[in-house]
Amino acid sequence: MNLRSKLAIAFAGVGAAAAILVGVFSYQAASQRINAELDRSLLTTSAEVAAGATQILAPSPVTRGPDDDDHDEAQPMVAQTIAPDGTVRPIGGRPVRLAVDDADRALAATGALGDHRYQDFSAGRDDYRVITVALGPGRGAVQLAIDVDESRHVLKGLATRITGVSALVLFVAALAGWLLARQITRRLVRLTDVTEQVSDGRLDDVTVPTGGHDEVGRLAISFDRMLGRLADARADQDRLVQDAAHELRTPLTSLRTNASVLRRFAELTPESRARLLVDVDGETRELTHLVDELVELATRRYEAEEPTPVELGEIADRAVERVRRRSGRAITVETDASALTGQAKALERAVTNLLENAVKFAPDGPIEAVVRDGRVEVLDRGPGLGDDAPRVFDRLPWTRT
């Protein structure tokens, strides 16, 4: 069962519960009101009967049902007197003998004027509400009963109508609940579709449906931001692979060349052997540094190099010597005594990158490295940056091949 169905059922349940509670309370309130009115009418009529107005007990014609052919006229009331000694005498109304118990006899014998009690009584298929009213000490009591079938018929009709209204409210609540659930979950359904697309590996052409300031809207905005960061992370991963290929290519090429030379190690002069070993050792250390840097980039755990006093001329000399050894190009160096406080390895890496780009993009012509007044310049006769100038500080994806 999806969320929309659950919400629709929940709305319908709440509506049904509210309708049932309102119906039950309404029925109870109506029943209590009718019974209270019936008791009040009994008390008033009993006083009239005690005063001798027995004509109100006369039967009144009504239409009976097909199963009620034993009476041609309705006699909704019946009355009798109870003497102080407990003797009962009918005084009018239906020919029904009302039950008299000890409490009724006590009212007739010793009850004060106006004392009364109510009780229910059944005779055959008819139900009565009975009141016994004392006429005073030693004067007996009058007992009056009224048929409550009509009242119960009214209450039954009311119960039927309340049940019908409750069923209608249940239907309307279910329909409204379904419509509300559809409206509420519409953005959630769309957001679920987007998450399923993302789980299938799609990031570039996914559009998150944002809008609204409720929890769903905030969730969509947060998810959109998360997708943006995920796309950036994938782009960073791609750039990292490109950077790794770019940075590792040069030392690996140099090591491969030196490895081929090592096959003729016995033919080399002692000076050539020494240079070869120094070159292999330097490239190995360079490769180790590159791997460490790539691991730091991949894990975003950077170990910051402590700044130290640095001679820019020494930095430039080491970078030029490395590039000369790798490329065989002639590179002139002009330095002064410029010094600063910085990270030596990072500075050497930056100068080396500038020199390697000059070798790569200026295959002909001189290359110069100039250190002057705290600045390092690499001069070549290449094509320049051109349209790539705004991205000169990006992490290499713009580099021409």
Side-chain angles (χ1 to χ4, degrees):
M1 184 181 296
N2 55 30
L3 180 60
R4 180 176 296 175
S5 299
K6 291 180 180 179
L7 287 176
I9 292 175
F11 282 126
V14 172
I20 292 173
L21 289 176
V22 171
V24 170
F25 291 149
S26 299
Y27 179 82
Q28 290 180 346
S31 177
Q32 292 174 359
R33 181 67 180 271
I34 289 175
N35 290 331
E37 185 65 23
L38 189 63
D39 289 346
R40 188 188 66 80
S41 177
L42 275 174
L43 183 60
T44 302
T45 306
S46 65
E48 295 177 359
V49 171
T54 58
Q55 70 276 5
I56 62 177
L57 302 175
S60 56
V62 296
T63 302
R64 308 295 291 182
D67 298 331
D68 299 330
D69 53 359
D70 55 336
H71 294 294
D72 294 332
E73 294 178 321
Q75 293 176 304
M77 301 178 68
V78 58
Q80 63 186 19
T81 60
I82 305 174
D85 59 359
T87 303
V88 177
R89 181 176 66 85
I91 59 175
R94 284 184 178 178
V96 176
R97 187 70 175 265
L98 301 177
V100 177
D101 56 17
D102 293 338
D104 296 328
R105 293 187 183 95
L107 278 176
T110 60
L113 179 63
D115 289 348
H116 61 277
R117 64 185 293 263
Y118 294 100
Q119 59 184 319
D120 294 320
F121 173 72
S122 297
R125 292 179 299 175
D126 298 326
D127 296 323
Y128 295 89
R129 181 68 169 169
V130 182
I131 185 173
T132 303
V133 182
L135 300 177
R139 296 182 59 191
V142 63
Q143 197 172 41
L144 179 66
I146 187 169
D147 193 336
V148 296
D149 288 342
E150 185 66 24
S151 299
R152 292 183 177 178
H153 178 73
V154 171
L155 289 175
K156 184 178 178 180
L158 178 62
T160 302
R161 287 192 292 272
I162 289 176
T163 302
V165 171
S166 298
L168 179 61
V169 170
L170 175 60
F171 174 76
V172 174
L175 179 60
W178 185 82
L179 293 175
L180 287 174
R182 180 182 180 184
Q183 181 67 22
I184 292 173
T185 59
R186 182 177 58 185
R187 287 181 294 164
L188 282 177
V189 171
R190 294 169 58 190
L191 192 59
T192 302
D193 294 338
V194 172
T195 58
E196 290 176 349
Q197 294 177 15
V198 173
S199 65
D200 293 336
R202 297 172 55 187
L203 286 178
D204 298 333
D205 57 344
V206 173
T207 302
V208 179
T210 58
H213 301 285
D214 55 2
E215 288 78 3
V216 178
R218 289 163 53 193
L219 176 62
I221 293 174
S222 299
F223 188 71
D224 187 45
R225 292 175 180 172
M226 183 187 70
L227 286 184
R229 293 179 180 177
L230 187 60
D232 293 341
R234 174 177 287 186
D236 289 341
Q237 184 180 18
D238 294 340
R239 285 196 297 269
L240 178 63
V241 173
Q242 295 175 4
D243 292 351
H246 177 86
E247 296 291 341
L248 294 176
R249 186 178 294 113
T250 300
L252 287 175
T253 301
S254 179
L255 286 174
R256 188 165 56 248
T257 302
N258 290 330
S260 64
V261 176
L262 283 173
R263 296 190 180 95
R264 298 182 291 106
F265 189 76
E267 303 174 7
L268 300 178
T269 63
E271 293 80 5
S272 297
R273 293 176 182 178
R275 287 197 303 271
L276 179 62
L277 293 176
V278 171
D279 192 13
V280 170
D281 181 66
E283 294 297 341
T284 302
R285 286 197 303 271
E286 179 69 15
L287 185 61
T288 300
H289 294 324
L290 284 175
V291 171
D292 292 339
E293 291 177 0
L294 290 173
V295 170
E296 289 178 356
L297 284 173
T299 59
R300 297 183 181 273
R301 297 177 181 175
Y302 306 106
E303 296 182 1
E305 181 183 359
E306 292 294 332
T308 58
V310 176
E311 294 286 342
L312 287 180
E314 295 179 1
I315 295 292
D317 289 336
R318 288 198 297 269
V320 168
E321 181 60 28
R322 181 182 295 109
V323 176
R324 282 174 179 168
R325 186 176 63 248
R326 292 175 176 175
S327 64
R329 293 285 297 275
I331 303 175
T332 59
V333 184
E334 180 182 344
T335 64
D336 60 11
S338 297
L340 49 80
T341 300
Q343 298 173 336
K345 292 181 180 179
L347 289 171
E348 187 173 341
R349 167 62 54 198
V351 176
T352 301
N353 286 338
L354 291 175
L355 291 170
E356 287 179 347
N357 281 335
V359 170
K360 183 176 182 179
F361 296 111
D364 300 321
I367 299 175
E368 303 175 36
V370 179
V371 179
R372 184 181 298 112
D373 299 330
R375 296 167 56 91
V376 178
E377 297 179 344
V378 175
L379 308 176
D380 59 57
R381 301 299 183 269
L385 295 175
D387 296 336
D388 291 325
R391 294 182 291 168
V392 68
F393 291 107
D394 290 351
R395 289 180 49 208
L396 297 177
W398 55 273
T399 303
R400 295 171 300 222
T401 58

